[in-house]
Amino acid sequence: MTVYDELVARGLIAQVTDEDEIKELINNGKAVFYIGFDPTADSLHVGHFMALCLMKRLQMAGNKPIALIGGGTAMVGDPSGRSDMRQMMTRETIQHNCECFKEQMSRFIDFSEGKALMVNNADWLLNLNYVELLRDVGAHFSVNRMLTAECYKQRMEKGLSFLEFNYMIMQSYDFLELFQKYGCNMQFGGDDQWSNMLGGTELIRRKLGKDAYAMTINLLLNSEGKKMGKTQKGAVWLDPKKTTPFEFYQYWRNVADADVIKCLKMLTFLPLSEIEAMESWEGSQLNRAKEILAFELTKLVHGEEEAVKSQEAAKALFASGNAANMPSYEVKEEDLTEGSIDILTLLHVSGLVPSKSEARRAVQQGGVSVDGEKVTDIKTVYSKDSFSGEGIVLKRGKKNFRKIIMK
């Protein structure tokens, strides 16, 4: 199976501009491709995960990735998939986020000896002369055609700002710049970026009379997955300070049954034959497939040691209701009232529920337990001594829990 054929078999490719040429480049290790990452936060999240896995997969096949950090485009904000305008960020915030991205990407991509590049489009976008850009680039874009682009449709309903309207031109200019400076001949992105990517390939052809190609990946975590990548606490981050390795493991361990095989194919590096053998698994076997998925992805992001610890902690949790490596909360003196804390307050301050009213409902509906024992009385209280030693395991529902301790 060729490299390109494997991408297709794993369900990664949504659409391409010129399949024969793209096959030739990818299969022979001649693709110099880029994927853009706008630094809208100080950590990458699972929405970026598939792109990083694809970059790693293609680099292993001899192709050269370029990670484009959008320090310049982040000053504008991508309107794709948005019903409102993104919050404007300061240059200092953007730069800080760029540095965080660089550190995290290095875990996936080998940047040594010119095997990959990491560049920031702020280096060329922030110094552009507006009139020169209009004459040099703007002349190659049709406003009528731009307004039909999918990436603008949602924003058109509520009002598309001229600031956002320029995003397609900026992204297209990125491809031109990378083509000229680094020989970048291919752009990858989510299928919601298709219009922007076509703008870049067309700009290169019109301005330079040369060919470049675009390929969108079937981003499970973007297009299918506005529901994925989110938990009660918010996004699932790749930074262990934001999402612990155990929480990361548990997120993948609890994916929907219908998504397990897709995630294994798209995100892991297990042989396809091994994954296809799991397609007939049901019941407890399907749970085993989820464990394999969680372990492989946690190992990829956080290392094998953390993956092993997370797997052991998860097994211990479901076997005995206790685990040493689960998410924890340390009870503070200010949480206590006369030396004790009630169950509703404990659920709230530990982050298992967003409010005390929801805590009350959880208890009354039988969804709360402490050390494996169901709590049904909303007036239940715990003294300071309850949390000494190993502490207690507070659980809400089947998947949300905290080890409660006090030092």
Side-chain angles (χ1 to χ4, degrees):
M1 183 180 292
T2 67
V3 178
Y4 185 86
D5 288 342
E6 183 171 353
L7 296 181
V8 173
R10 287 182 179 272
L12 285 166
I13 298 178
Q15 51 192 336
V16 299
T17 54
D18 190 323
E19 188 172 50
D20 289 339
E21 291 295 331
I22 288 174
K23 279 183 180 179
E24 169 71 18
L25 291 169
I26 287 176
N27 289 339
N28 293 290
K30 296 179 180 178
V32 181
F33 67 95
Y34 94 89
I35 300 180
F37 300 83
D38 275 357
T40 53
D42 59 0
S43 172
L44 296 163
H45 53 73
V46 296
H48 300 115
F49 194 38
M50 183 174 293
L52 291 168
C53 291
L54 179 65
M55 294 174 83
K56 181 181 180 68
R57 197 181 303 279
L58 289 175
Q59 186 182 50
M60 290 167 63
N63 297 286
K64 184 175 182 177
I66 299 176
L68 178 66
I69 307 296
T73 39
M75 299 288 287
V76 172
D78 183 1
S80 302
R82 302 284 297 189
S83 59
D84 56 357
M85 197 167 87
R86 294 180 186 273
Q87 183 177 356
M88 301 281 277
M89 296 184 295
T90 65
R91 291 194 180 196
E92 292 75 19
T93 298
I94 291 171
Q95 184 56 39
H96 170 71
N97 293 349
C98 286
E99 294 301 321
C100 294
F101 275 27
K102 287 179 182 179
E103 182 179 348
Q104 291 179 345
M105 285 182 182
S106 296
R107 301 178 202 162
F108 294 85
I109 312 301
D110 181 2
F111 291 98
S112 67
E113 301 172 358
K115 294 176 183 175
L117 294 173
M118 185 177 293
V119 295
N120 189 331
N121 65 14
D123 294 343
W124 54 81
L125 290 179
L126 298 188
N127 296 320
L128 286 174
N129 178 285
Y130 184 61
V131 174
E132 286 181 7
L133 178 68
L134 289 177
R135 290 172 60 87
D136 192 38
V137 177
H140 298 287
F141 286 82
S142 161
V143 171
N144 290 351
R145 187 173 175 183
M146 290 174 71
L147 289 175
T148 65
E150 191 66 33
C151 62
Y152 291 141
K153 284 186 178 179
Q154 280 186 295
R155 295 292 294 115
M156 287 288 288
E157 294 175 5
K158 290 193 175 182
L160 177 70
S161 72
F162 184 69
L163 176 73
E164 297 167 289
F165 186 64
N166 280 273
Y167 192 91
M168 182 185 291
I169 294 176
M170 294 174 74
Q171 184 169 331
S172 299
Y173 188 84
D174 282 344
F175 199 1
L176 175 66
E177 194 76 7
L178 293 171
F179 183 94
Q180 292 178 302
K181 282 189 174 181
Y182 306 109
C184 180
N185 52 30
M186 198 178 301
Q187 178 180 186
F188 290 177
D191 50 11
D192 59 339
Q193 293 290 312
W194 186 238
S195 298
N196 293 339
M197 293 163 68
L198 289 179
T201 60
E202 188 67 16
L203 178 61
I204 290 170
R205 288 172 183 172
R206 288 190 176 193
K207 188 168 174 57
L208 304 178
K210 296 182 179 179
D211 289 331
Y213 308 98
M215 185 175 89
T216 65
I217 49 179
N218 189 15
L219 281 181
L220 175 70
L221 300 181
N222 270 354
S223 39
E224 272 189 20
K226 298 302 180 185
K227 67 180 185 294
M228 294 187 71
K230 298 287 184 182
T231 66
Q232 257 190 332
K233 293 174 65 181
V236 178
W237 304 98
L238 305 192
D239 183 346
K241 295 177 183 176
K242 289 177 171 286
T243 299
T244 68
F246 182 80
E247 289 170 324
F248 188 83
Y249 178 96
Q250 284 298 104
Y251 169 75
W252 295 107
R253 171 61 181 80
N254 293 316
V255 298
D257 291 356
D259 291 327
V260 181
I261 299 301
K262 285 189 288 187
C263 289
L264 281 165
K265 287 182 177 179
M266 291 179 169
L267 299 174
T268 75
F269 290 81
L270 295 174
L272 271 172
S273 58
E274 187 176 328
I275 298 170
E276 288 166 354
M278 302 179 198
E279 290 179 347
S280 61
W281 289 8
E282 297 178 352
S284 60
Q285 279 188 310
L286 192 58
N287 286 333
R288 174 59 185 147
K290 293 182 182 182
E291 291 174 358
I292 293 170
L293 172 69
F295 181 84
E296 290 296 323
L297 298 189
T298 306
K299 180 173 71 172
L300 187 61
V301 175
H302 298 294
E304 186 163 7
E305 182 180 349
E306 289 295 342
V308 170
K309 286 166 62 178
S310 297
Q311 186 176 64
E312 290 176 348
K315 288 180 178 179
L317 172 70
F318 291 106
S320 65
N322 205 342
N325 194 39
M326 70 178 68
S328 63
Y329 177 78
E330 185 176 337
V331 175
K332 305 172 182 64
E333 286 290 343
E334 55 263 33
D335 295 330
L336 302 174
T337 301
E338 296 181 355
S340 64
I341 184 171
D342 64 89
I343 186 65
L344 303 186
T345 301
L346 191 57
L347 284 163
H348 184 220
V349 297
S350 66
L352 285 174
V353 295
S355 65
K356 285 191 178 182
S357 59
E358 188 157 339
R360 178 187 295 268
R361 283 194 295 273
V363 172
Q364 291 174 334
Q365 292 170 4
V368 175
S369 66
V370 171
D371 285 342
E373 295 292 326
K374 189 173 290 187
V375 179
T376 56
D377 185 355
I378 61 173
K379 295 182 180 179
T380 302
V381 296
Y382 298 90
S383 69
K384 190 174 180 178
D385 294 338
S386 302
F387 313 116
S388 60
E390 292 296 315
I392 65 172
V393 174
L394 178 64
K395 192 174 179 182
R396 180 198 171 216
K398 294 181 179 179
K399 304 176 182 178
N400 305 294
F401 43 82
R402 293 287 185 276
K403 168 166 274 197
I404 310 298
I405 57 176
M406 187 166 193
K407 294 182 180 178

